[in-house]
């Protein structure tokens, strides 16, 4: 049994982690920490969990966590993670961090969009937890920077095509759409029901801080600088994410070549589904699962490739991928706790 | 391993049954039948199930089903069930029928709201599958009439109080609210997105055909005629059901007595949660689970009791209770396949 | 031209008032006040109003308002209204207050659920602005206590039947359902999109502070103490309200008598629609209008009467009724600015 | 008073036309036709219109309509319109057709995606009713092909920039998102509430039949062949449309130049709002209005231009633009009946 703890369990990602661990055949949950709810039962935060989880929230205490857990999931705000992670690593605990603090290779890229980094050494050591791409390095990692939801939905379809030189690294676009849970559980006018319901539009056009995370990884895959145009939109649904990606194929590339490459990379992957010709992903098909669905269409005349990916932003885009990372780190079945059938309806 | 089959798998209840069986540790799915989709893979109907279920839909054939399955779930329209059920029972197969065809004790009550019954013998034998109430008889039943969603949400809170003479059988009211999946997957203007979205109202006021089903069971519990006033409403959500029930307590009955009785009846039940004083159920707390949550408030001056129950109409109100019935019939852990944590968010 | 001002224009009720006055043939808007947005254009709060309204928000200043306006709508929190209203009345300005501060006849009833009242004299003078019922007194009022949305939806159907002794004042129940805009625009976890979406349930069971407002008016209508059981529920829609009301008719009362009385009271009312037999109101039928739709069903055997009313909580339940009150107070066409066709879809 | 009639009034576009004419100061509605509802009052189709519209639906009869109306709106399916329009034109009645039948200059382009055209002469004469662009020709037109909703949202932002050579005609992309009412009121599984709610995804990728309509107009504007990549998506809201458009600016073009051109073209237009720098459109800001909101962002390094437009698909994208066309054709105030404040909330 892998003993786990969750720091920052009062948000939506925390809730998903609690549920995933509850269902996990090889892991158990030993502690949940929460600043705002310390001393209160977890079911005070989420009454739906009554009967499933009886833990009481504690304040974060690295010493205490290190005695209880083999691995700690940090579902904390950016900046808080980098303060807590080193304390845990020092005590020999593995860390899977769901904030942006340990996702970057280039500390300057991080600091340009977030803030000064106070754990540079650990950042250098950390592995970007995009499971299908970095599996080997994840196996031996002490600390994982769990990818953002937008990056996951964009990187999985694009990396193979860039690596295999099927699409041009120039002029890439991702028109992405996210459910509201991606904005977290903190209250704000922008997540007020009456402001979001029956509404739809883009936000942070031209300066979303996920862009550098995406570009750093794509650049590595392409072997040359990639500067993707990224426009996020808010959809009035609770969970789900779709990215519609536009790329130019390299001269002569056919629909069949693209399919062959995607099948080669993902044909045996348990959590990536390449859809048949003419079928496209939908948020509703992956809701409640750890899947990333990918469909595509190539206009042979213009060479314009349209790829569409869908994930559940809280699962493959956050808690699900985090558990998948844990499974890899602890050398158990990668599907453990993630292969049951959720409620897409 | 219990071998199961589902007849009529192309509706929402069929989908839920497929998912529940897929997750079930002691049951497997051997066949799915569908008139409209015969010859097609189940994933053509529900693309979200790709990777979970590879069965191809067949037409209904009692002979074939009897060779494959120990128990058949009938997720068929009323009237079709009563034609198919006897064929299966004759071949020694157990049947759990999710239509209204085998729910009534009184054949005349059934015929008054539905149509002439063509399997009267079997109707007489069938057991009403309200698990918490009829568990003993379910154990040995060959055929189960799985309760309707509205009746389940009303009967579970009321039966103990009527049996124990805490509330008057006169003047009972249930103001009930259902998500849209309760109307099934057939297309009609009344389930068109634009007609339901941002809308709310009652329907079938004064003549919903679930009323006789409710009254028959309540009358048995009370030992005298009960004629509950029932008003169903449609809520613009996919799944969930809440019943707000109004009753008059018998002279001198206290809040504590009511709690004591509910605790006695349900304290050890795995799928009924009696909420603490001042807490009330919400569709979102039970979505994706087999729970029935019950909360209540007693106005000591007027003796007016307000009870609120919530279920997932597709689970405790249909497929979940059906699997619970199967577990009881086959003498396995009643919680098997139903105690994992779903996605309430 | 009636010159109007709106104090507290940054909430949803404020927005509706601004829109209604913009469309009004006999009224114009001279000032909008807002504490949090003072100095900012109104379109900063509501970008949709760009091109319709160019006013800049000012702080509340009775002196200034009195020079600009003939009437001021107070869309302020309870308690703030009672501080501001006397200043305006003193300067000869008419006031329509949308808070609870001037709705009660009995100051003790107000103080029991809100707080000490600091403008007792004015409270005594104020008229409860339920237009169809109090039209004569509204004509000459200096200050109006504009009814709450729940009370409006319950009082309009019940008052005629109580006055004419068709239903018993005992055992009245209103099971009411409101859209989320009823909770206002302030941020809180309870109006977070992900908490409300795909959810449904009751709140404040047994102690909602609209109950005393309802009971005071019903008691006056019935000529004896009425103690209605009121349970509000939250529906995941932006706007709309439905009340399902249960009453016992007096001995021998028929469906026809009820219809006759309702037709007598409301047959010539421009904003009340009595639906034909077998038809029932829906939030979607009144959305964006000032209508109150009323339908009913009488079970002749039990004498149980089911009445259903629907209003737009922001219009007939707030801003629409406020403008209707203004029209009456200023002796212009009561329908002015309210009889155009909105967007029910 | 302009006398109008609506053929095919039972759909959502028909309903919007009825509402707009009801509110119009210079137009009245003389007849509504409907095949499926003939003989029934219009309020049987849309109960919300009770009290606003008392017309009874008649079958389509050109002779009768010609005696009652000056102009007929055809809210009919493609192919039906081209059969009916010539009969009306022959009788001297003006026609505004909301189907695709009279939108194309090139009959072959129409026939490639729809069917053989049976009114080629009239097609040649018809004017594409994109008001801001074709105003002069609309003034004298006998028949208008009212633009599709997707084309309207894409053409308004792009035409000025192509005409003035600010963006390249190569590599244009529109990632568009529509509310569900765009799919019409006919029942189908794809508009079933449970299939659309909490779902989001693209449809008809690579072959939507609005593409040729868009390309024909853009090609004319650019003076060279344009082949826009168009991907429509379905958003779980009732009404609204957003197009996120990606273009490459011509060498040296600045943000300021783009703004100057848009201001020149649209600065005096009553129904186009160019948003300030850093602000972007949202469906909720234009819902219930005839506005097209446009915002944009230019990345000066890459020369990538992101334009975002939003319209109400049923108004500026259908019925609103149709009435605007009528106003132009009859030489009355173009804003008449369209400048009141609707309900964006």
């Amino acid at each position: 049994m892998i003993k786990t703890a969750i720091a920052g369990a009062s948000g939506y990602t925390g809730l998903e982690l609690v549920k995933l661990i509850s269902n996990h055949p090889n892991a158990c949950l030993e502690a949940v920490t929460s600043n705002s709810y310390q001393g209160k039962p977890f079911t005070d935060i989420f009454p739906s969990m009554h009967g499933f989880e009886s833990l009481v929230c504690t304040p974060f205490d690295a010493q205490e966590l290190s005695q209880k857990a083999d691995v700690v999931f940090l579902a904390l705000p950016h900046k808080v993670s980098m303060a807590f992670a080193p304390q845990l690593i020092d005590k020999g605990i593995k860390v899977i961090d769901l904030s942006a603090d340990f996702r970057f290779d280039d500390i300057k890229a991080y600091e340009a969009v977030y803030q000064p980094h106070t754990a540079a050494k650990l950042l250098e050591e950390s592995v970007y937890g995009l499971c299908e791409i970095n599996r080997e390095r994840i196996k031996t990692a002490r600390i994982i920077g769990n990818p953002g939801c937008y990056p996951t939905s964009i990187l999985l379809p694009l990396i193979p095509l860039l690596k295999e030189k099927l699409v041009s690294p120039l002029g890439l676009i991702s028109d992405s759409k996210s459910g509201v849970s991606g904005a977290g559980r903190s209250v704000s006018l922008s997540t007020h029901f009456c402001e979001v319901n029956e509404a739809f539009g883009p936000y942070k056009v031209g300066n979303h801080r996920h862009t550098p995370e995406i570009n750093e990884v794509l650049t590595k895959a392409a072997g040359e600088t990639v500067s993707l145009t990224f426009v996020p939109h808010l959809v009035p649904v609770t969970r789900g994410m779709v990215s519609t990606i536009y790329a130019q194929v390299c001269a002569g590339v056919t629909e069949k070549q693209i399919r062959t490459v995607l099948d080669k990379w993902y044909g045996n992957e348990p959590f990536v589904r390449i859809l048949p010709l003419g079928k496209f992903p939908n948020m509703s098909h992956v809701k409640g699962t750890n899947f990333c669905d990918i469909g595509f269409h190539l206009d042979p005349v213009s060479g314009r490739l349209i790829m569409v990916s869908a994930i559940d932003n809280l699962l493959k885009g956050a808690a699900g991928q985090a558990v998948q990372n844990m499974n890899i780190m602890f050398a158990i079945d990668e599907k453990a706790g993630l292969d049951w059938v959720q409620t897409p309806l």
Side-chain angles (χ1 to χ4, degrees), chain A residues 128-136 138 147 152 156 159-160 265-266 268-273 290-292 316 321 324-325 328 334:
Chain A
Y128 189 65
L130 193 63
C131 305
E132 287 74 12
I133 306 300
N134 292 338
R135 186 173 284 123
E136 286 312 307
I138 294 165
T152 298
L156 286 178
I159 285 175
W265 281 64
Y266 296 128
N268 293 316
E269 284 295 340
F271 296 120
V272 180
R273 300 191 290 196
N290 198 46
F291 282 123
C292 176
K316 186 60 177 171
Q321 186 151 246
Q324 192 181 350
N325 274 310
I328 298 173
E334 193 168 328

Side-chain angles (χ1 to χ4, degrees), chain A residues 12-14 16-17 20 98 149 181-182 238-240 289-290 311-321:
Chain A
Y12 294 130
T13 304
E16 293 302 306
L17 283 167
L20 289 173
L98 288 94
C149 45
S181 60
T238 297
R239 53 200 299 162
T289 79
N290 198 46
I311 59 172
D312 184 318
N313 60 306
L314 292 177
L315 291 173
K316 186 60 177 171
Q321 186 151 246

Side-chain angles (χ1 to χ4, degrees), chain A residues 16 19-20 23 239-240 283-291 311-316 320 337-345:
Chain A
E16 293 302 306
K19 290 191 290 182
L20 289 173
N23 287 322
R239 53 200 299 162
M283 284 186 189
S284 65
H285 298 166
V286 297
K287 192 168 64 164
T289 79
N290 198 46
F291 282 123
I311 59 172
D312 184 318
N313 60 306
L314 292 177
L315 291 173
K316 186 60 177 171
L338 295 167
D339 62 347
W340 41 295
V341 185
Q342 272 267 13
T343 307
L345 189 63

Side-chain angles (χ1 to χ4, degrees), chain A residues 268-310:
Chain A
N268 293 316
E269 284 295 340
F271 296 120
V272 180
R273 300 191 290 196
I274 306 299
L275 305 190
L277 189 66
K279 300 283 183 190
F280 289 88
N282 193 293
M283 284 186 189
S284 65
H285 298 166
V286 297
K287 192 168 64 164
T289 79
N290 198 46
F291 282 123
C292 176
D293 278 5
I294 299 173
F296 68 93
H297 170 84
L298 174 62
D299 175 18
V301 178
S302 65
R304 171 75 71 198
L305 175 68
I306 302 161
M307 301 190 87
V308 184
S309 67

Side-chain angles (χ1 to χ4, degrees), chain A residues 100-176:
Chain A
D101 286 0
F102 294 97
R103 289 179 192 157
F104 282 71
D105 271 6
D106 178 3
I107 192 169
K108 284 188 212 116
Y110 175 88
E111 295 186 335
V113 280
Y114 294 94
Q115 67 264 313
H117 205 294
T118 60
K121 261 286 169 47
L122 205 53
L123 173 59
E124 211 168 291
E125 176 188 337
S126 76
V127 174
Y128 189 65
L130 193 63
C131 305
E132 287 74 12
I133 306 300
N134 292 338
R135 186 173 284 123
E136 286 312 307
R137 293 177 56 218
I138 294 165
K139 285 181 181 171
T140 57
R142 294 197 302 170
I143 177 163
I144 295 290
N146 206 60
C149 45
Y150 281 122
T152 298
S153 74
I154 295 168
L155 296 173
L156 286 178
L158 275 182
I159 285 175
L161 303 192
L162 283 170
K163 273 266 191 193
E164 309 243 359
K165 309 288 181 199
L166 296 190
V167 301
S168 165
L170 297 177
L172 293 172
I173 293 167
S174 182
D175 189 290
S176 298

